[in-house]
Amino acid sequence: MIDSQVVRPWWSRRAFLKNSAAVATGAYGFRWGVGRAADIPYQFDGSKFQLAAPEPNHKRGGVLRMGMPMRAPHFDIHQSGTIFTLGAQACMFDNLIRHDPQDGAKTIIPDLAHSWEIAEDGKSYTFFLRKDVQFHDGAELTAEDVKATFDRIAKPPSGISILRSVLFKAVSEINARDKYTVEFKLSEPRPINFMMSAFASGWNVIARKKTLEDNNYNLRKVVTYPGTGPFRSVKRVENETWVMERNPNYWNKALPYLDGIEFYHVLPFSPELGSAILSGRVDYVRITDPATARKAKSTVGMSTANYYQSVEHATWVNNKKKPLDDPRVRRAMHLVLDRSVLVEVVKDVAPMITGGFIYPFSEFATPRQELEKRLGYQADPAAAVKEARGLMAAAGYPNGINGLDYLVRDIAIFKLWSQAIQAMLKDALNIQCNLRTVVESVWFDDAASGHFDLAIGAVVGTLVDPSDYFNAWYGKDGPQNYSFWDNKEFQALSARIDREVVPAKRMPLIRQAEAIMEQDPPLLPVAWETINDIWYTYVKGHNPSAYFGIFDVARFDTMWLDKA
């Protein structure tokens, strides 16, 4: 049940219109942040809302040159788990509702749906769509397109894996009530902020129903498919460039300000990415290295921002293979990784922070001073190594393990980390690994099929709320559970966390779940990512300093160029 003590705001159309000027400039007060259902109104009329750049003197025209990884393993945004897919494609699409790019994506605002109603019992969400919205192929957006999109996300067809499906486990029914009204029914309540943030995720773009049907609901090989977004594709050259132009029929007539965007493919954290921005070949880069960020900070006419990213870097341990199916072996490996050293190893390549199984910068995390008292996180690793060796002996492997296949994603940080982890496992436990470095497409295929013993890479989260990644990363059938881990006690606790709508009651359950993972690790945490953005100060209309992650702020529709 919904907590009866929560005060529910009632946003009438009259009250909204009275404050429409303030709303249009961002001065409104409902946020996606963790916790209270009252943060988001149960009824909201945003029919007069129109997103715009925060600067009053914005200009039109110009082409933004963007340094962005584009080595996409495929082109199906819903099935993807990497910015390599979303980074250049997001600008071609819209969402049902969205996170406001102007306040760090902390506020829920209208998008293709201008208004909504949430049932008092928390079991029904109804969205009212804008009229006369066109896809890039000229077709009109209707509720059937929204329904088809979320039907596929919530309950993927056979052979389709969608990482965000776990967000909608409680959705039992999706109805197109009329041409411009779509209704989601839940089998049981979820925290309101959780559900609205799930709908607003930048990954959950709206596709055309006919596009899905024509491609048997699989868009992995469809390079360009129609969206309703502010930009549309002009030309793409594999691993080089993707050129976009302004959508002249965009429903928000004020946006976009740019005539187009040119995406240039550069690998994250690479010297090429740093060189591209410092030499002026591009106007903006994302996911660059700390050394380049330091240079940019001291360069007149350049700006930088560093912010948390919703990504955990880890080594997965294949539970389908012996002796890796033994929790004692996995905990031993977990204990001997010196995470401070691992962060140091890549400090000149990528900005990282240490942490465990929960976002270390969120209010759900065990406080750092407490975490650093635990084995596996202490400054002096001696006690952790001693326990790890005892666990290996108890599991029957006092002399170590030979010949593990260590699958490494072909990015600089993973190649550096895998060598360091290989040495740590060998020195502490006599576990010997053979490194096998592969490109993204092979890594994701081999990880999903279990063709590895150990695999190092990254998993992408959608929400700060653990009900997202506890299911996606650690759940028995989670789409990013590459370890194939299944702890029955954890799964039961995770389900209780999902259902609990009272924050004070959820937190103890989250702590219990964390304790289980420490003893029976679903993966070996390596580090948590932060992001460096660098841009020339003439790039306006954005606010990266407050971002949490890059996946909700990749549309670039409010950006503009302050150039003659």
Side-chain angles (χ1 to χ4, degrees), residues 301-560:
M302 300 189 78
S303 299
T304 67
N306 176 262
Y307 51 92
Y308 294 126
Q309 166 68 328
S310 53
V311 169
E312 180 181 22
H313 297 272
T315 290
W316 285 267
V317 186
N318 193 337
N319 280 227
K320 291 182 177 180
K321 297 187 177 183
K322 293 185 177 299
L324 305 177
D325 60 339
D326 191 323
R328 293 169 296 185
V329 172
R330 294 197 302 278
R331 175 160 168 79
M333 298 169 77
H334 169 53
L335 289 176
V336 301
L337 297 191
D338 192 327
R339 290 167 178 85
S340 295
V341 170
L342 293 174
V343 168
E344 184 75 11
V345 163
V346 299
K347 70 176 183 179
D348 291 326
V349 180
M352 299 285 169
I353 58 176
T354 60
F357 299 95
I358 293 176
Y359 285 134
F361 40 77
S362 76
E363 65 184 79
F364 296 109
T366 296
R368 181 165 296 278
Q369 62 270 25
E370 182 180 335
L371 184 69
E372 291 175 350
K373 296 176 182 178
R374 292 181 187 169
L375 293 181
Y377 304 96
Q378 296 171 346
D380 182 352
V385 170
K386 180 180 179 181
E387 177 163 325
R389 289 172 176 167
L391 289 168
M392 290 292 289
Y397 298 92
N399 298 319
I401 303 168
N402 290 323
L404 294 184
D405 173 34
Y406 198 169
L407 180 67
V408 181
R409 190 172 166 185
D410 186 17
I411 292 178
I413 54 172
F414 300 127
K415 290 189 283 189
L416 289 169
W417 274 333
S418 62
Q419 295 172 45
I421 292 171
Q422 180 186 45
M424 290 175 183
L425 293 175
K426 175 68 169 62
D427 292 346
L429 302 175
N430 198 29
I431 294 177
Q432 301 185 34
C433 308
N434 300 316
L435 305 183
R436 177 165 60 94
T437 303
V438 299
V439 298
E440 279 76 16
S441 56
V442 175
W443 192 94
F444 281 107
D445 286 346
D446 280 6
S449 65
H451 181 49
F452 68 93
D453 295 316
L454 306 178
I456 189 166
V459 281
V460 171
T462 308
L463 310 180
V464 178
D465 194 302
S467 281
D468 168 26
Y469 57 96
F470 276 17
N471 285 284
W473 301 351
Y474 311 136
K476 177 180 181 296
D477 299 311
Q480 296 183 86
N481 180 1
Y482 298 126
S483 291
F484 311 103
W485 183 70
D486 180 18
N487 181 293
K488 300 297 191 296
E489 185 181 2
F490 176 89
Q491 308 306 337
L493 264 176
S494 182
R496 290 178 61 191
I497 292 167
D498 291 347
R499 291 192 297 267
E500 183 56 68
V501 299
V502 181
K505 295 181 180 180
R506 291 183 87 216
M507 193 63 79
L509 301 178
I510 292 167
R511 286 287 171 270
Q512 291 178 45
E514 181 185 28
I516 291 171
M517 290 189 284
E518 287 289 351
Q519 295 300 316
D520 181 7
L523 49 74
L524 313 180
V526 174
W528 294 79
E529 187 172 306
T530 65
I531 293 290
N532 284 322
D533 277 15
I534 304 174
W535 65 96
Y536 286 90
T537 53
Y538 56 74
V539 181
K540 307 291 187 180
H542 63 109
N543 180 26
S545 61
Y547 288 172
F548 164 67
I550 57 181
F551 306 117
D552 295 329
V553 289
R555 201 180 302 181
F556 313 119
D557 50 345
T558 62
M559 285 191 177
W560 60 280

Side-chain angles (χ1 to χ4, degrees), residues 106-402:
K106 295 178 177 63
T107 304
I108 300 292
I109 60 175
D111 205 15
L112 292 176
H114 59 74
S115 304
W116 64 76
E117 292 179 357
I118 305 171
E120 287 290 311
D121 63 1
K123 294 174 65 175
S124 176
Y125 291 71
T126 303
F127 297 93
F128 303 94
L129 304 181
R130 302 178 189 278
K131 298 179 181 179
D132 302 320
V133 175
Q134 292 184 8
F135 284 95
H136 295 160
D137 61 2
E140 184 187 9
L141 169 82
T142 73
E144 292 292 346
D145 299 304
V146 177
K147 171 177 164 54
T149 294
F150 278 99
D151 275 338
R152 187 176 83 125
I153 293 173
K155 295 179 172 56
S158 176
I160 304 296
S161 176
I162 295 179
L163 307 184
R164 271 67 57 185
S165 61
V166 296
L167 302 175
F168 303 100
K169 290 199 306 181
V171 173
S172 58
E173 189 177 335
I174 305 174
N175 300 312
R177 289 192 353 200
D178 59 42
K179 191 175 182 179
Y180 304 111
T181 308
V182 63
E183 174 189 55
F184 295 79
K185 291 187 175 181
L186 276 60
S187 58
E188 57 185 7
R190 290 288 187 266
I192 302 301
N193 288 321
F194 175 85
M195 286 307 304
M196 292 294 280
S197 295
F199 288 122
S201 166
W203 292 99
N204 294 333
V205 302
I206 303 302
R208 191 180 172 198
K209 179 182 180 183
K210 186 176 187 300
T211 301
L212 296 173
E213 293 174 341
D214 288 350
N215 293 281
N216 198 27
Y217 289 86
N218 191 343
L219 305 178
R220 293 171 70 97
K221 296 182 179 180
V222 185
V223 178
T224 302
Y225 42 96
T228 61
F231 296 94
R232 60 189 185 186
S233 176
V234 175
K235 179 183 178 181
R236 181 179 182 275
V237 179
E238 179 76 19
N239 291 334
E240 292 185 18
T241 58
W242 200 335
V243 179
M244 304 289 177
E245 67 178 2
R246 183 181 187 274
N247 176 9
N249 300 314
Y250 194 47
W251 54 266
N252 185 342
K253 301 306 179 185
L255 300 178
Y257 302 114
L258 299 167
D259 289 334
I261 307 175
E262 294 176 353
F263 292 99
Y264 292 90
H265 171 61
V266 275
L267 287 175
F269 313 119
S270 66
E272 293 79 12
L273 184 60
S275 174
I277 188 68
L278 293 175
S279 66
R281 296 196 301 274
V282 296
D283 307 304
Y284 198 119
V285 295
R286 185 158 276 175
I287 324 179
T288 194
D289 63 285
T292 299
R294 289 193 294 270
K295 291 178 183 177
K297 282 183 180 179
S298 62
T299 301
V300 176
M302 300 189 78
S303 299
T304 67
N306 176 262
Y307 51 92
Y308 294 126
Q309 166 68 328
S310 53
V311 169
E312 180 181 22
H313 297 272
T315 290
W316 285 267
V317 186
N318 193 337
N319 280 227
K320 291 182 177 180
K321 297 187 177 183
K322 293 185 177 299
L324 305 177
D325 60 339
D326 191 323
R328 293 169 296 185
V329 172
R330 294 197 302 278
R331 175 160 168 79
M333 298 169 77
H334 169 53
L335 289 176
V336 301
L337 297 191
D338 192 327
R339 290 167 178 85
S340 295
V341 170
L342 293 174
V343 168
E344 184 75 11
V345 163
V346 299
K347 70 176 183 179
D348 291 326
V349 180
M352 299 285 169
I353 58 176
T354 60
F357 299 95
I358 293 176
Y359 285 134
F361 40 77
S362 76
E363 65 184 79
F364 296 109
T366 296
R368 181 165 296 278
Q369 62 270 25
E370 182 180 335
L371 184 69
E372 291 175 350
K373 296 176 182 178
R374 292 181 187 169
L375 293 181
Y377 304 96
Q378 296 171 346
D380 182 352
V385 170
K386 180 180 179 181
E387 177 163 325
R389 289 172 176 167
L391 289 168
M392 290 292 289
Y397 298 92
N399 298 319
I401 303 168
N402 290 323

Side-chain angles (χ1 to χ4, degrees), residues 59-63 259 538-540 560-564:
K59 300 177 182 178
R60 296 191 177 278
V63 174
D259 289 334
Y538 56 74
V539 181
K540 307 291 187 180
W560 60 280
L561 302 177
D562 190 13
K563 298 172 71 175

